[in-house]
Amino acid sequence: MQIHDVRNILDACLEPWRYKDYAPNGLQVEGKEEINKVVTGVTASQALIDAAAARGADAILVHHGYFWKGEDARICGMKKLRIRALLQHDISLLAYHLPLDGHLELGNNAQLGKVLGLEPAGQAGEQGLLWHGGWAGGGDAAAFADHVSGALGRTAQLLGRPDRPVRRVAWCTGGAQGFFADAIALGVDVFITGEASEQNYHMAMESDVAFIAAGHHATERFGIKALGEHLAQVSGINVEFIDVSNPV
């Protein structure tokens, strides 16, 4: 299969034109035309590129790619080394940011909800990226944070009252701590995202809505893995997910 056919499959699935994003979605660096093996991962780091090259990958598919708005446009330093490695190995780079967050089945939010056993009820907030729904597991915020930690394989940070009963949950993967006020307005008991900012602690204490920071990387592993599995199913291409560990 050719690289542009792969891109077309992914574009048709994720519909990137529906989103206002901070980086170009789709094919970011073009390598060889014929694609037989694809490596997927959360971020197009040097470690992922090196692992993909060692496995003979023809393309890399990630959530966090390159060319973010507001960054230095020059191809220097770390960016030079990454792009040089892609070009030397003739590896294409495809990246989907907000379209992967928002997809109703394969997306990061959908997949995180599935992993945690949440019952989605709808989407809200900016571009529909804030999900909300129910939790039938019972218990308080401390017990729910333990559940999140076990499901994601890392210790989640809980802000707010640990004995807060949990029935209604809002979530948005990655760095969505800025959505906390929107989550509070939904009337939920707890909000889950990847990272926390200083003000989130005070908001949690004063609103009596718990806040769980479960890890940017940890909350966004599942969407890109599901997207790769979808690509393999519809194209027949060999797709391998590589989880380059990141404690953030």
Side-chain angles (χ1 to χ4, degrees):
M1 180 170 285
Q2 296 185 337
I3 182 60
H4 295 290
D5 294 323
V6 173
R7 179 202 62 195
N8 290 340
I9 290 172
L10 296 170
D11 281 356
C13 174
L14 297 177
E15 300 180 322
W17 51 85
R18 295 177 52 235
Y19 294 86
K20 295 179 181 179
D21 214 334
Y22 317 106
N25 288 292
L27 183 60
Q28 292 189 336
V29 177
E30 186 173 359
K32 65 188 67 172
E33 186 171 319
E34 189 66 25
I35 305 298
N36 295 298
K37 181 176 178 62
V38 174
V39 158
T40 63
V42 176
T43 299
S45 64
Q46 189 68 55
L48 183 66
I49 296 170
D50 293 344
R55 287 162 170 77
D58 306 304
I60 298 172
L61 172 62
V62 297
H63 179 49
H64 300 137
Y66 303 154
F67 313 115
W68 299 94
K69 289 180 181 178
E71 74 174 17
D72 191 335
R74 293 173 294 179
I75 309 299
C76 301
M78 183 174 64
K79 186 189 294 185
K80 169 207 166 184
L81 296 176
R82 290 177 173 184
I83 293 178
R84 182 174 69 181
L86 289 170
L87 296 177
Q88 283 180 336
H89 294 285
D90 212 11
I91 296 174
S92 292
L93 175 66
L94 301 111
Y96 293 88
H97 185 230
L98 296 185
L100 184 58
D101 287 323
H103 193 274
L104 297 180
E105 180 182 354
L106 303 175
N108 285 321
N109 287 323
Q111 291 294 312
L112 180 63
K114 183 177 180 180
V115 167
L116 296 181
L118 303 177
E119 301 169 354
Q123 296 81 45
E126 181 183 347
Q127 302 190 73
L129 295 172
L130 176 63
W131 284 46
H132 59 96
W135 163 246
D140 57 19
F144 185 68
D146 288 342
H147 167 69
V148 173
S149 298
L152 301 188
R154 74 185 302 277
T155 301
Q157 182 181 26
L158 172 63
L159 307 178
R161 185 160 62 90
D163 61 348
R164 176 72 154 91
V166 173
R167 293 179 298 275
R168 296 165 298 170
V169 181
W171 67 98
C172 184
T173 65
Q177 58 268 50
F179 283 2
F180 191 24
D182 294 326
I184 292 169
L186 290 172
V188 299
D189 304 309
V190 62
F191 173 60
I192 308 168
T193 188
E195 304 177 30
S197 295
E198 187 272 344
Q199 65 268 24
N200 296 138
Y201 169 76
H202 302 291
M203 294 173 67
M205 296 302 295
E206 294 170 29
S207 67
D208 197 28
V209 175
F211 181 107
I212 292 177
H216 194 134
H217 176 87
T219 58
E220 295 195 325
R221 289 174 295 174
F222 307 106
I224 196 66
K225 187 173 186 293
L227 181 62
E229 292 168 354
H230 169 77
L231 176 62
Q233 183 178 22
V234 301
S235 70
I237 292 174
N238 179 11
V239 180
E240 179 183 358
F241 173 70
I242 297 178
D243 188 10
V244 177
S245 180
N246 187 332
V248 177

